[in-house]
Amino acid sequence: MPERFRRGLNGLLVLLILGALAYASALLFGWNCPIKYLTGVPCPGCGLSRALAALLRLDFRTALRFHPMVFVLPPVVLYALFGKKPLFGSKNLERVLLWSVIVLDITIWLIRLALHDPLIF
């Protein structure tokens, strides 16, 4: 099994475990987001679970309202975990893309915080 694929599976396993723990904590303690519960500030991913659920129901408008990055983050995460070749044929361009997505997500998060977006508060 190629090393990158094995790392991708390990990363996916970690994400699944963290997601299961977050879901269990939400059921047991009524938390929506552990980071928001502990700090009082929503995380950059707040609303993403609801957005993915809306996307699975093919409700694209609601998915976009819950988290604007719902159409960008899942493919990028899957590619980062399982992509075999560098995106666009270059490792540098791949890094630029990944960092751009991170910066865009944080920018959207800061805008939502500044506007006191009711969907994340």
Side-chain angles (χ1 to χ4, degrees), residues 5-110:
F5 187 76
R6 189 174 329 119
R7 281 195 336 245
L9 284 178
N10 290 339
L12 189 59
L13 181 62
V14 168
L15 287 175
L16 288 173
I17 290 170
L18 289 175
L21 289 173
Y23 184 73
S25 70
L27 288 177
L28 294 173
F29 304 110
W31 298 349
N32 291 331
C33 171
I35 293 173
K36 182 179 175 186
Y37 178 79
L38 295 172
T39 66
V41 178
C43 71
C46 274
L48 196 54
S49 297
R50 291 174 288 164
L52 286 171
L55 195 59
L56 290 174
R57 291 190 310 268
L58 302 179
D59 188 355
F60 302 112
R61 182 176 290 154
T62 302
L64 190 62
R65 271 190 34 237
F66 281 136
H67 201 291
M69 295 290 288
V70 70
F71 300 107
V72 176
L73 286 175
V76 169
V77 168
L78 287 174
Y79 179 79
L81 290 174
F82 297 108
K84 293 181 181 179
K85 294 181 181 177
L87 196 60
F88 305 120
S90 166
K91 265 306 212 193
N92 289 334
L93 286 175
E94 182 179 299
R95 281 190 204 104
V96 168
L97 174 71
L98 293 176
W99 279 106
S100 299
V101 168
I102 291 169
V103 168
L104 181 61
D105 190 39
I106 291 172
T107 302
I108 289 171
W109 173 62
L110 291 173

